[in-house]
Amino acid sequence: MIDLRSDTITKPTEDMRKAAYEAEVGDDVYGEDPSVNRLEEAAAEMLGKEAALFVTSGTQGNQIAILTHCQPGNEIILEADSHIFYYESGAASAFAGVQTRTIKGKRGAMDPEEVMYALRGEDQHYPETGLICLENTHNRAGGAVLPIKNIMKIYNIGKEHHIPVHIDGARLFNAAAALDKPAGELAQYCDTVQVCLSKGLGAPVGSILAGSKEFISSARKWRKRLGGGLRQAGILAAPGLYALTQMQERLSEDHENALFLAGKLSEISGLRIENQVDTNIIVADVKGLNMDSVQFVERLKHEGVLSGTFGHSSVRFVTHYDVSRKEIEKAILAIQRAAG
Ligand SMILES: *Cc1c(COP(=O)(O)O)cnc(C)c1O
């Protein structure tokens, strides 16, 4: 099987397994796990923040950010197709007790003016705006990279109105690779950022939440409340550190593979590529094949390729470390057969 469902399916490399095996560990709830401490320090520095926290997942990192920044009854502003709104099981309302105010973006980027007009003024009728969330790269926009100017403008609006900005950077390193800029340059325009170690970087488990020292110490308490305080977590942090430091550079290979794949798929009649392929995600519309996405995904599975439904007639393909160019070539033939 060639698995193009997601970059989350990447398995830890031999080096990562070795790092896990050899990891120096301690009780991280006591702050005594040297491998976790090392990972948090390296991540904070890489993201240009004072401090960082190792969390179990991207969802947990985003939710801890909302819980730490907001009070119940606050409103958070986020893009209408953002992961936090679309894919986190309603956690922001279930845990933080905030309501969401969505703004439809262009390729995942909200118009800064619309964000500004959405901020609440002083009035007893209004909830207080507690947080603005951005997503980079934007998953449902097909791995779109947010323009740096867009992030900067929204961050400045937030600063002016004393509203923090959080970046859901599950794939921030993909954005950084696509722009050929260090991740810290993209993360400078936010108060807090969450990055996944377990997607394209290939670590088995975990995400990083980074921000100011004060923010991270409150976030640590929220992590504990949520049951995310782990003990000898160095076993997980050591491969995470390896992923963070050794796996970033190769992300552009995934992007090249995605572009190559998208180019070939666009030649298949009845199949239309919906997104501009900035990074490692391709979204294809299968309407022209007289199938819905469920049918197409099933047919393709019989041809030996796994993909994901992404809407009624949309199918998502994600390139990653565990699929080589040779396998991409095989996948193209399989997709041609499934379409035929
Ligand atoms: C995958 C993803 C998350 C959540 O990460 P998990 O580790 O799966 O909880 C958050 N945001 C975006 C944009 C993602 O793609």
Side-chain angles (χ1 to χ4, degrees):
M1 264 312 169
I2 298 171
D3 196 342
L4 295 169
R5 284 174 302 172
S6 177
D7 46 10
T8 55
I9 67 104
T10 42
K11 300 209 172 83
T13 64
E14 205 177 316
D15 285 329
M16 286 184 208
R17 290 169 192 268
K18 210 178 276 164
Y21 182 78
E22 291 169 356
E24 237 189 297
V25 297
D27 189 329
D28 181 47
V29 174
Y30 290 101
E32 290 173 3
D33 189 299
S35 301
V36 172
N37 293 341
R38 232 172 271 140
L39 170 63
E40 291 179 346
E41 277 161 31
E45 184 172 344
M46 197 176 280
L47 294 165
K49 301 294 176 207
E50 283 175 6
L53 185 68
F54 182 49
V55 294
T56 55
S57 69
T59 301
Q60 191 184 59
N62 287 335
Q63 293 305 321
I64 289 174
I66 296 168
L67 285 159
T68 308
H69 283 300
C70 299
Q71 296 296 321
N74 280 177
E75 183 169 74
I76 64 171
I77 296 172
L78 69 182
E79 206 279 324
D81 262 340
S82 62
H83 194 281
I84 292 174
F85 182 70
Y86 205 98
Y87 285 125
E88 300 192 5
S89 323
S93 60
F95 297 143
V98 298
Q99 70 179 29
T100 49
R101 173 99 172 256
T102 57
I103 293 177
K104 187 93 199 99
K106 280 203 186 83
R107 305 196 66 239
M110 297 182 285
D111 179 343
E113 272 200 359
E114 279 188 59
V115 172
M116 189 167 71
Y117 297 143
L119 300 179
R120 302 290 196 150
E122 262 308 301
D123 186 310
Q124 64 169 334
H125 296 89
Y126 294 160
E128 280 156 20
T129 306
L131 183 65
I132 302 167
C133 299
L134 309 179
E135 184 173 315
N136 197 17
T137 66
H138 193 293
N139 175 29
R140 285 200 61 81
V145 176
L146 299 189
I148 292 190
K149 262 209 177 128
N150 178 266
I151 308 174
M152 188 176 73
K153 278 187 188 160
I154 292 175
Y155 180 55
N156 286 336
I157 289 167
K159 263 211 305 215
E160 214 174 289
H161 295 84
H162 309 288
I163 311 290
V165 173
H166 171 70
I167 295 182
D168 174 359
R171 297 190 180 85
L172 189 75
F173 294 113
N174 292 86
L179 295 171
D180 199 17
K181 290 192 185 301
E185 207 172 313
L186 309 186
Q188 66 181 308
Y189 303 115
C190 68
D191 296 282
T192 60
V193 58
Q194 180 275 121
V195 296
C196 283
L197 303 171
S198 66
K199 291 197 167 161
L201 298 184
V205 172
S207 271
I208 290 290
L209 177 61
S212 69
K213 266 195 187 134
E214 199 188 342
F215 172 87
I216 291 300
S217 84
S218 307
R220 194 176 289 281
K221 191 147 185 169
W222 271 113
R223 187 185 69 174
K224 191 78 185 85
R225 285 194 186 107
L226 294 175
L230 304 179
R231 302 300 179 174
Q232 284 73 42
I235 292 276
L236 302 172
L241 181 61
Y242 183 93
L244 190 68
T245 53
Q246 307 298 316
M247 298 292 280
Q248 274 186 51
E249 277 200 9
R250 57 150 311 283
L251 287 174
S252 50
E253 275 174 47
D254 299 341
H255 301 175
E256 284 158 22
N257 281 339
L259 258 187
F260 174 73
L261 176 57
K264 295 290 180 189
L265 297 193
S266 67
E267 292 167 9
I268 299 175
S269 95
L271 209 146
R272 186 178 64 82
I273 303 299
E274 293 179 33
N275 64 322
Q276 176 187 314
V277 178
D278 286 350
T279 54
N280 65 333
I281 298 177
I282 299 164
V283 184
D285 182 352
V286 298
K287 226 182 283 138
L289 300 171
N290 296 319
M291 282 183 243
D292 66 21
S293 55
V294 175
Q295 289 167 317
F296 183 80
V297 165
E298 195 52 34
R299 260 177 90 132
L300 187 53
K301 189 175 166 185
H302 285 295
E303 299 294 344
V305 174
L306 298 178
S307 57
T309 58
F310 214 51
H312 177 71
S313 62
S314 301
V315 176
R316 188 183 78 160
F317 301 95
V318 185
T319 58
H320 53 80
Y321 171 75
D322 280 346
V323 176
S324 64
R325 174 60 70 101
K326 261 220 160 74
E327 287 172 304
I328 293 284
E329 283 168 0
K330 273 196 205 159
I332 291 162
L333 299 175
I335 295 165
Q336 283 168 347
R337 288 196 299 273

